Amino acid sequence: MAQSASDFLQGPSQPGGGPEAEGPGVVARTPRQLFWRRFKEDRLALFGGFLVVFMITVALAAPVVESIVGHPYDEQYRDIGTNAFGSPNPPTGSFIFGFDDLGRDILVRTMYGARVSLTIAIVATGVELVIGVFLGILAGFMRGWVDTIVSRFIDLILSIPFLLLGIALSVTDFLGGGEKLIIFIIAFFGWPYIARIVRGQTLSLREAQFVEAAYSVGAPTRWIMFREILPNLLAPILIYGTLIIPQNIVGEAALSFLGVGIQQPTAAWGQMLAAATPYVALGKAWWFMLYPGLALFITVLGFNLLGDGLRDALDPKTGR
Amino acid sequence: MKSSRLIKLFALLTVLMLVAAACGGGGSETGDTGDKRTNEDVTVSDELNPGGTLRIAGVSDVDYMDPASQYYTVSFFLSRGVFRTLVTYPGNVTDLAAQNELVPDLAESTGQSNEDFTEWSYTIKDGVTYGLKLGGEEVAGVTGEEIVCDDFVYAFERIFTASVGAGYPFYYDIIEGAKEFQAGDADSISGITCDGDKSITFSLSEPAGDWDFRMAMPAASPVPRAAAEKYDKKEDSDYDRHVVATGPYYIAEWTPGEQITLERNEYWDAETDEARLAYPDTVDWKLGFDNDVGVQKIQDNEYDLGLDVSPQGPALEEWVTTPELNERLLQEPSGCTRYLFLNTTIEPFDNQAVREAVNLAIDRENIKRVFGGPTTGPIATSIVPPGIDGHLPSEEFNPFETENMAGDMETAKQMFQEAIGAETWDEPIKLIGASDPPHDRIFESVRSDLEELGFTNIQGKTPKFPNQYTQFYSVPSSETAVGSSAGWCKDYQSAFTFLDPLFHGDNILESGNQNYAELNDPEMNRLIDEAAASPLGEEQTAAWEAANRYATETGVWIPWSWDNDLIAYSSENITNVYYFGFHSQVDWVNIAINSEQ
Amino acid sequence: MFQYIVRRLIWAVIMTLLVISTVFVIFFVLPGGSGRNIEGAGKCSSPIAIMMAGRNPRPALVCNIVKRLGLDKPVYVQYGRYVGNLLQGDMGYSYHSSEPVRDAIFRRLPATASLAIGASFIWLVFGVAIGIVSALRRRSFMDRASMFFALVGVSLPTFFLGLVLVFLFDGRLNIYNVASYQPITSDPVAWLKSMWLPWIVLAYVSMAVYARMVRGNLLEVMGEDYIRTARAKGLREKSVTRHALRSALTPVVTMYGLDLGILLGGAVITESIFNIPGIGSLAVDAISNQDLPTILGTTLFAGVFVIIANLVVDIAYASLDPRVRYS
């Protein structure tokens, strides 16, 4: 629901630069230098960057930690992990995050969950960017019936309930289920946001002088679209990509929370939260829900801070 | 619009599974609590105060209201109070074995048979009449009229009429002429004859010692032609919406998925009914609960009784470990077995030794634990569950015994490697479970054991329950090698209802198959046929025991639970609550409402 | 204008048909779809029918069901029949409960509407208020605190927040009960007691989004030339703010319309965490049960809300700004 917010995140009107580029009689700086200067002064963004790096490290270090603590992510500690009713046992000295409902180590599984979460979110974002940018430029540049078709297609996709389609598809053999299915669903519902933004940018860029200039020397349409306009879109694309990653992480977690996609014994945060749900209302097994939830929160927060910072650095008007 | 036919065996299985019940003893450390409430703790009385409203919380709706189509415990539960049969299960009897001693209901006595059990006769009581139809209207020429022989004739004709969609015609197709009638080659079923209005005889083409049990099922309740024929003549009968009551209650309201309200049937005469005391005036049965919500409502005494609502997972732990709640949790064996199956048509499970190795490798104790622990019932060691003819207690028969049934991986590995002549089995095998808890945990427990045993290429899949049945287990072409979420419940107290559909080679179908392991073993088939044909009593019991033994030893199943039913109720609000084996529920028609309520 | 509305309406109808088509494709065309026969399992083996046949899915019975439901007809025939019935206001009968799908949806609607309207009211009021205060008192402690609060909000998925709050308020403090949903008509006090926590959970994320958006828009507008001009002309700050608010809040209204439309189609996760019997949980159950008519009904219902919301927003825009009509 909140995704529709991105429609209104105002895109930078002049990519790469901005009115502040010409400071009152000081050293000339390239837009890139300005960008970095602003970004480096933004402590929240740097903190976000730190969180992102931290979670990526966690994901990469998962197998290392696994072998240090000696608890494979899919090993079931049947004697000590669950009680006689099958409820997970609390943290102990060597299982510092406690056990899940199969007696597995939550620390190791939470770390492995980061791998799944980040991989899916980043791949899905990549797919979204490719489709969204291509169709966005096409619609914005060609206008007319191409634009109408793309825009209506976007409307159509946005009127299909995202989670329901996910669950419905998971009942079929579509793409064989699993991570591929999740990536498909997320990307399918995600590209329209990118396409809308890119389309808007393209609409204004195609009126720009350098485009007119390219036209006047007889450059072919394709060349103008991908050689003239696309490079000017790279910065906003990068930033919206960063801003979309956290949404995709939440999307992945929501789908796996509802039981779509990730197959045991692979660990996913949403799936861990879902498994912890029955204990929650009874006030039991807090560790089962808390750690995967926190990991999810930290990751999303990190990307949000980073993305905000990048956007603000690029276009200070929208920022704080 | 015959509406939904969604029967939910599946639901039934979930329910039962959810409903885990109890057998156990001994302290929360072990998950066994010494004090569990069973029928033995119930003192029944037939002199309680009538009146009041019984409030039932349920998850699932009935599959049908039409007794011919019903094939689901929830529906059988309803039918106990709405439709009477010639014979029925006794009321106010707490001993589970004694509950199977059928008593006359609409008939004056239980069935009189000839020597070889091929002819059964009944005389219908005087003074038994029809009441109101669903919704509370009278039916002209039916309501208030005596129940006569032709009503049974019509009831059985319906069972073999395509528009009706009967639930279990296979129990009755041994009536002579039934198949001809079904095929349209006869206008009536020759094997059912009336002598006057009150006497009826069934002639069977093969012996059936258990005929009375079949006559105690809801489909055998009378249906008046005058009330049903016009609906049955449609392409798809909608008599479902117009059923006429014969029992102590009629269906005053049915909002599918939402609400069933039963009111006292004034045409029912208590004098004619020895099985039902029918204390409450009204039954207010709310459906569509989320299980945990329903349990909470019963815990809070907002509802009196959980039907297919029962504590599970952490809630179960709370109920069992809290003495006040534990006293309100009735625990009895349900007549259901949960199992894994190994498909005998898929390598390497065509190999008996491999199957035996898998039986030894699987940690049944852990499956039981992730399922909810010992309260949910003992670990199964053979196929036929307790309370059913042919059952073998674990002490007596346990061919794949390991310590605590936790598996013996070392021995199993040895056997496995010998059998396949290699260290590991690297060909892909399909393992199908289900994604909803606790099935996801069961799947993972099994997957991990199989992997350790030496299956290096397990292709696991966990569709949403009950799709594992519809898309995989029941479809041989899906090539499911191992199924981790299968279960089966008895229809009545005979091993026939287990072994015949699930182990007989003749019952392998290309879809809708229930012999998931696709076992077609001549010796097995012979044992089943023989047991079915042997006279009721010790001889049949022994025959079923032999079949059970043989079936278990084939290793095609790894049974791991003989479920308990766990029935949560409000002891503050209701009394006379005992477990009733036929429905795997309590016998609600004999519950009384405490007057202070 | 009239022409524009007609054109949009036609699009809305086409989109509705496409939404239905999507569900049909999933059920009848994709491999493993529940309306299709399982490969190699014979003529009557669609999982829907097998499931409906229940405990003893004998082929004859399954075939009866297949015939009754018309699953043996080509997909386009079934599609045509569905659309035909739909035009007469008939959404079919649930396979699972045999209840008319329309009734089932309208029975569930009050729960979903309670959730959606209550939560959206909270987030709209608080989100906008926080956004305005933050923008006007830029860089104050208040601003920083609210933006931090908002940042946490946009990063906290509903299901995690929901679980944490249920753990605290139900599991530990016992001042809330997840098993307590009551319709407002049967007991308004109990209804309120059951709704406050889900409202907070559902509202928090969107409140954060709205607050950030309002603040951002307002700051941007305040920097626009016409506001500077107004100030320069000596307009009082109050009037300036009022001008700025008008243009800063227009997109909020639009977004609110769309978000409410989406929510009325069912809040799957919140409904499931709090056991609220709404449209979202109806849809999820329907998918588990392969109850095609109900899946179609709920998806359509959710889709139509979004389409209507879009339509209203578009038309409102077009009537305000004639340029839109030609773009």
Side-chain angles (χ1 to χ4, degrees):
Chain A
M1 290 119 241
Q3 281 101 319
S4 54
S6 57
D7 293 353
F8 299 92
L9 297 172
Q10 301 292 315
S13 48
Q14 296 278 298
E20 282 86 345
E22 323 105 37
V26 277
V27 198
R29 289 198 174 89
T30 66
R32 185 168 297 179
Q33 285 170 323
L34 271 171
F35 172 85
W36 277 114
R37 222 168 73 124
R38 288 196 210 103
F39 183 75
K40 276 189 286 192
E41 280 164 11
D42 187 344
R43 274 178 300 173
L44 272 179
L46 290 177
F47 179 61
F50 166 75
L51 290 182
V52 169
V53 171
F54 173 72
M55 287 314 297
I56 291 174
T57 315
V58 163
L60 293 175
V64 180
V65 172
E66 182 184 43
S67 69
I68 292 174
V69 297
H71 307 150
Y73 75 100
D74 61 347
E75 178 78 27
Q76 302 164 15
Y77 294 88
R78 291 177 180 174
D79 301 329
I80 54 169
T82 52
N83 74 8
F85 293 91
S87 299
N89 279 337
T92 66
S94 62
F95 291 83
I96 53 171
F97 280 13
F99 298 90
D100 74 359
D101 55 355
L102 271 160
R104 296 175 297 201
D105 186 335
I106 289 188
L107 169 68
V108 176
R109 289 186 68 74
T110 303
M111 293 182 76
Y112 267 92
R115 293 168 89 89
V116 170
S117 183
L118 291 174
T119 313
I120 289 181
I122 290 168
V123 173
T125 304
V127 176
E128 280 168 24
L129 286 177
V130 170
I131 302 174
V133 168
F134 178 76
L135 291 181
I137 291 183
L138 205 65
F141 193 81
M142 307 294 260
R143 301 198 292 194
W145 62 271
V146 178
D147 187 19
T148 307
I149 289 183
V150 172
S151 300
R152 294 298 153 231
F153 189 46
I154 288 175
D155 287 351
L156 169 70
I157 288 175
L158 298 184
S159 64
I160 297 174
F162 161 67
L163 292 172
L164 294 185
L165 184 86
I167 306 174
L169 278 176
S170 74
V171 174
T172 69
D173 288 339
F174 192 61
L175 295 178
E179 284 87 343
K180 268 191 242 157
L181 177 64
I182 292 205
I183 290 171
F184 170 83
I185 295 166
I186 293 177
F188 181 75
F189 285 94
W191 70 262
Y193 295 105
I194 304 270
R196 278 189 174 178
I197 289 163
V198 171
R199 172 181 168 274
Q201 300 274 317
T202 311
L203 276 176
S204 61
L205 276 179
R206 80 192 292 278
E207 311 300 338
Q209 290 187 347
F210 68 90
V211 175
E212 277 177 29
Y215 258 125
S216 62
V217 298
T221 309
R222 205 192 311 166
W223 198 86
I224 297 177
M225 269 164 56
F226 295 104
R227 287 298 166 86
E228 296 288 343
I229 292 183
L230 184 59
N232 277 287
L233 288 173
L234 285 182
I237 288 171
L238 180 81
I239 284 156
Y240 286 100
T242 317
L243 280 169
I244 273 185
I245 289 177
Q247 291 183 12
N248 289 348
I249 290 174
V250 174
E252 181 273 325
L255 287 169
S256 65
F257 182 79
L258 292 169
V260 178
I262 309 296
Q263 175 76 54
Q264 293 260 24
T266 307
W269 295 332
Q271 169 214 75
M272 294 171 82
L273 286 171
T277 303
Y279 301 93
V280 165
L282 296 165
K284 291 179 176 163
W286 54 268
W287 58 91
F288 193 4
M289 142 198 94
L290 190 64
Y291 295 115
L294 277 181
L296 176 61
F297 172 60
I298 291 172
T299 315
V300 175
L301 182 67
F303 276 104
N304 274 334
L305 287 172
L306 181 65
D308 278 1
L310 290 176
R311 189 189 52 206
D312 293 348
L314 194 65
D315 182 15
K317 260 201 304 184
T318 58
R320 45 193 90 84
Chain B
M1 80 152 241
K2 159 142 203 175
S3 15
S4 68
R5 179 140 231 241
L6 198 216
I7 297 200
K8 328 158 189 187
L9 165 194
F10 311 118
L12 164 109
L13 291 170
T14 340
V15 163
L16 291 167
M17 104 184 18
L18 302 184
V19 168
C23 227
S28 62
E29 285 301 300
T30 60
D32 248 356
T33 45
D35 310 305
K36 56 164 185 163
R37 188 173 182 82
T38 68
N39 270 10
E40 285 176 19
D41 304 313
V42 183
T43 319
V44 289
S45 162
D46 53 9
E47 288 168 353
L48 296 166
N49 291 329
T53 299
L54 175 65
R55 298 165 308 174
I56 301 175
V59 173
S60 307
D61 200 349
V62 295
D63 53 356
Y64 296 101
M65 284 295 180
D66 183 345
S69 310
Q70 293 179 334
Y71 199 15
Y72 181 34
T73 44
V74 170
S75 317
F76 286 9
F77 177 89
L78 172 110
S79 294
R80 170 79 168 163
V82 178
F83 306 115
R84 296 176 68 181
T85 39
L86 286 167
V87 291
T88 192
Y89 294 83
N92 256 8
V93 171
T94 57
D95 182 79
L96 289 177
Q99 282 183 356
N100 286 325
E101 289 162 19
L102 300 179
V103 295
D105 191 0
L106 291 173
E108 284 178 347
S109 67
T110 53
Q112 307 296 309
S113 78
N114 62 358
E115 229 164 68
D116 63 354
F117 306 114
T118 53
E119 212 176 273
W120 291 79
S121 320
Y122 303 84
T123 307
I124 302 161
K125 278 176 190 161
D126 288 325
V128 288
T129 56
Y130 290 104
L132 303 176
K133 69 182 250 187
L134 193 157
E137 290 161 48
E138 290 190 8
V139 183
V142 173
T143 304
E145 297 294 317
E146 289 267 325
I147 295 168
V148 296
C149 178
D150 182 62
D151 301 334
F152 289 95
V153 171
Y154 188 61
F156 284 94
E157 286 178 6
R158 296 183 79 237
I159 291 175
F160 297 100
T161 301
S163 68
V164 173
Y168 36 92
F170 42 87
Y171 286 139
Y172 307 109
D173 62 6
I174 54 172
I175 300 174
E176 295 218 7
K179 286 175 175 154
E180 288 76 3
F181 177 81
Q182 185 170 27
D185 298 338
D187 295 334
S188 61
I189 301 173
S190 59
I192 309 178
T193 45
C194 293
D195 183 9
D197 270 351
K198 291 288 177 181
S199 173
I200 184 165
T201 303
F202 297 91
S203 313
L204 311 179
S205 56
E206 44 185 88
D210 61 1
W211 186 251
D212 264 349
F213 286 104
R214 306 188 195 193
M215 297 309 286
M217 297 185 75
S221 60
V223 177
R225 250 179 235 277
E229 203 164 25
K230 60 178 169 195
Y231 304 112
D232 294 343
K233 283 199 167 137
K234 300 183 184 174
E235 194 180 347
D236 195 10
S237 170
D238 57 357
Y239 176 61
D240 204 39
R241 298 263 168 182
H242 305 277
V243 290
V244 182
T246 51
Y249 299 96
Y250 70 91
I251 305 158
E253 187 206 339
W254 178 31
T255 311
E258 179 77 342
Q259 173 77 32
I260 295 173
T261 308
L262 306 179
E263 297 282 357
R264 188 174 293 287
N265 173 9
E266 299 297 342
Y267 297 87
W268 169 78
D269 180 0
E271 293 296 307
T272 65
D273 196 331
E274 62 178 281
R276 303 170 186 88
L277 292 160
Y279 293 117
D281 291 330
T282 306
V283 177
D284 171 8
W285 177 357
K286 174 105 165 61
L287 313 162
F289 273 108
D290 170 84
N291 184 67
D292 293 349
V293 174
V295 169
Q296 186 66 47
K297 299 263 181 207
I298 294 161
Q299 189 172 334
D300 299 343
N301 293 311
E302 282 178 45
Y303 279 82
D304 304 329
L305 175 67
L307 173 54
D308 46 356
V309 155
S310 146
Q312 42 176 307
L316 176 59
E317 185 175 353
E318 179 162 296
W319 275 71
V320 175
T321 53
T322 312
E324 304 84 72
L325 291 176
N326 192 36
E327 275 173 23
R328 297 166 45 182
L329 190 65
L330 191 61
Q331 313 185 17
E332 287 285 356
S334 68
C336 300
T337 303
R338 283 172 200 287
Y339 61 96
L340 325 172
F341 68 84
L342 308 174
N343 191 330
T344 57
T345 63
I346 290 176
E347 285 190 336
F349 303 109
D350 53 342
N351 182 335
Q352 165 97 24
V354 169
R355 297 197 299 259
E356 286 174 6
V358 176
N359 261 277
L360 284 177
I362 297 289
D363 181 350
R364 299 184 214 201
E365 189 196 24
N366 191 56
I367 301 179
K368 190 81 229 191
R369 189 186 305 125
V370 299
F371 181 65
T375 319
T376 61
I379 295 172
T381 57
S382 56
I383 286 151
V384 179
I388 294 176
D389 227 16
H391 167 69
L392 297 157
S394 298
E395 308 83 67
E396 210 173 289
F397 177 67
N398 187 354
F400 303 107
E401 187 167 8
T402 59
E403 199 185 337
N404 297 329
M405 294 308 281
D408 174 357
M409 193 53 84
E410 239 161 81
T411 318
K413 265 188 183 163
Q414 246 174 30
M415 284 176 64
F416 182 68
Q417 291 170 5
E418 243 166 67
I420 62 170
E423 289 265 302
T424 55
W425 183 267
D426 303 323
E427 298 293 310
I429 59 159
K430 261 197 196 172
L431 167 65
I432 309 290
S435 62
D436 322 52
H439 299 277
D440 54 345
R441 299 195 289 265
I442 296 166
F443 170 86
E444 194 42 29
S445 185
V446 171
R447 193 201 56 80
S448 141
D449 286 344
L450 290 177
E451 201 173 73
E452 201 181 335
L453 181 63
F455 288 98
T456 56
N457 193 354
I458 299 171
Q459 303 191 331
K461 213 167 185 156
T462 50
K464 270 187 105 57
F465 194 94
N467 291 289
Q468 83 272 26
Y469 288 108
T470 53
Q471 304 198 4
F472 296 96
Y473 299 174
S474 65
V475 186
S477 65
S478 74
E479 300 193 329
T480 305
V482 184
S484 65
S485 283
W488 188 255
C489 300
K490 61 155 206 282
D491 277 346
Y492 55 90
Q493 263 49 25
S494 166
F496 178 78
T497 68
F498 257 81
L499 296 175
D500 187 64
L502 308 179
F503 284 86
H504 202 298
D506 291 354
N507 292 333
I508 302 172
L509 306 168
E510 67 176 5
S511 81
N513 178 34
Q514 290 173 327
N515 181 347
Y516 305 140
E518 295 178 63
L519 179 71
N520 190 2
D521 177 331
E523 175 64 8
M524 182 79 256
N525 300 348
R526 189 186 63 80
L527 284 168
I528 293 169
D529 292 341
E530 258 181 33
S534 56
L536 206 58
E538 263 172 47
E539 197 180 331
Q540 196 177 71
T541 306
W544 284 125
E545 281 175 1
N548 184 14
R549 228 174 258 275
Y550 187 86
T552 308
E553 281 165 355
T554 60
V556 299
W557 275 28
I558 300 147
W560 58 267
S561 177
W562 285 326
D563 280 8
N564 278 338
D565 273 334
L566 298 173
I567 293 167
Y569 68 97
S570 165
S571 52
E572 200 176 298
N573 298 342
I574 55 175
T575 44
N576 236 33
V577 182
Y578 60 87
Y579 186 73
F580 185 58
F582 176 55
H583 306 143
S584 307
Q585 291 297 342
V586 297
D587 193 15
W588 65 272
V589 291
N590 292 306
I591 286 177
I593 313 295
N594 295 340
S595 43
E596 315 88 75
Q597 186 189 316
Chain C
M1 188 67 198
F2 177 72
Q3 237 185 351
Y4 175 76
I5 293 178
V6 169
R7 212 167 61 205
R8 293 306 321 247
L9 278 175
I10 293 173
W11 269 118
V13 171
I14 293 175
M15 298 229 302
T16 309
L17 289 178
L18 287 173
V19 170
I20 300 174
S21 314
T22 311
V23 177
F24 267 84
V25 165
I26 292 176
F27 270 77
F28 294 104
V29 181
L30 289 187
S34 312
R36 279 169 59 117
N37 287 332
I38 298 170
E39 226 161 288
K43 273 194 314 190
C44 300
S45 64
S46 64
I48 299 179
I50 296 178
M51 193 182 289
M52 288 173 66
R55 178 159 175 136
N56 194 315
R58 303 175 311 289
L61 179 58
V62 179
C63 280
N64 267 350
I65 294 169
V66 165
K67 236 176 92 186
R68 177 155 53 79
L69 302 181
L71 296 173
D72 50 345
K73 305 254 170 31
V75 184
Y76 60 87
V77 173
Q78 299 188 50
Y79 182 87
R81 198 168 53 179
Y82 183 81
V83 173
N85 289 339
L86 196 64
L87 288 176
Q88 298 162 30
D90 176 6
M91 299 175 87
Y93 293 87
S94 157
Y95 291 170
H96 188 80
S97 70
S98 75
E99 186 185 15
V101 171
R102 200 185 42 211
D103 295 3
I105 289 178
F106 282 107
R107 199 151 47 72
R108 302 285 197 119
L109 187 57
T112 292
S114 302
L115 186 61
I117 294 171
S120 66
F121 178 75
I122 293 177
W123 90 55
L124 183 65
V125 171
F126 286 89
V128 170
I130 292 173
I132 294 175
V133 171
S134 287
L136 297 183
R137 304 257 178 286
R138 203 175 170 195
R139 296 184 204 284
S140 67
F141 172 75
M142 182 65 193
D143 178 29
R144 288 181 194 281
S146 355
M147 282 308 106
F148 177 73
F149 174 77
L151 200 61
V152 171
V154 292
S155 307
L156 204 51
T158 14
F159 43 96
F160 181 46
L161 178 66
L163 290 183
V164 170
L165 295 186
V166 168
F167 184 86
L168 288 177
F169 291 117
D170 188 356
R172 288 294 163 92
L173 301 174
N174 280 321
I175 54 175
Y176 179 81
N177 183 354
V178 282
S180 64
Y181 174 78
Q182 283 282 333
I184 186 170
T185 45
S186 75
D187 184 348
V189 177
W191 172 77
L192 206 60
K193 274 185 166 170
S194 67
M195 295 306 297
W196 65 271
L197 197 58
W199 281 342
I200 291 178
V201 168
L202 192 53
Y204 186 32
V205 177
S206 302
M207 182 161 68
V209 173
Y210 278 54
R212 281 157 59 101
M213 188 176 94
V214 169
R215 180 177 177 278
N217 286 353
L218 203 51
L219 287 179
E220 190 174 336
V221 173
M222 296 291 246
E224 298 275 349
D225 290 347
Y226 74 96
I227 297 287
R228 285 191 206 155
T229 314
R231 276 216 182 95
K233 273 173 38 188
L235 212 62
R236 277 190 315 183
E237 199 54 27
K238 224 179 202 167
S239 317
V240 173
T241 310
R242 201 179 318 133
H243 276 293
L245 272 181
R246 179 173 296 172
S247 61
L249 291 187
T250 313
V252 176
V253 175
T254 315
M255 183 159 145
Y256 182 75
L258 296 179
D259 283 350
L260 189 63
I262 292 172
L263 261 194
L264 283 172
V268 174
I269 288 183
T270 312
E271 285 177 19
S272 98
I273 291 177
F274 291 97
N275 292 304
I276 295 168
I279 311 267
S281 56
L282 178 68
V284 172
D285 290 350
I287 294 172
S288 300
N289 296 326
Q290 303 299 294
D291 183 354
L292 180 64
T294 309
I295 297 173
L296 279 166
T298 48
T299 316
L300 202 58
F301 191 77
V304 163
F305 263 120
V306 176
I307 292 169
I308 290 175
N310 266 311
L311 198 64
V312 170
V313 166
D314 281 356
I315 291 174
Y317 253 48
S319 61
L320 292 174
D321 181 355
R323 282 174 305 171
V324 173
R325 271 171 259 167
Y326 308 107
S327 68

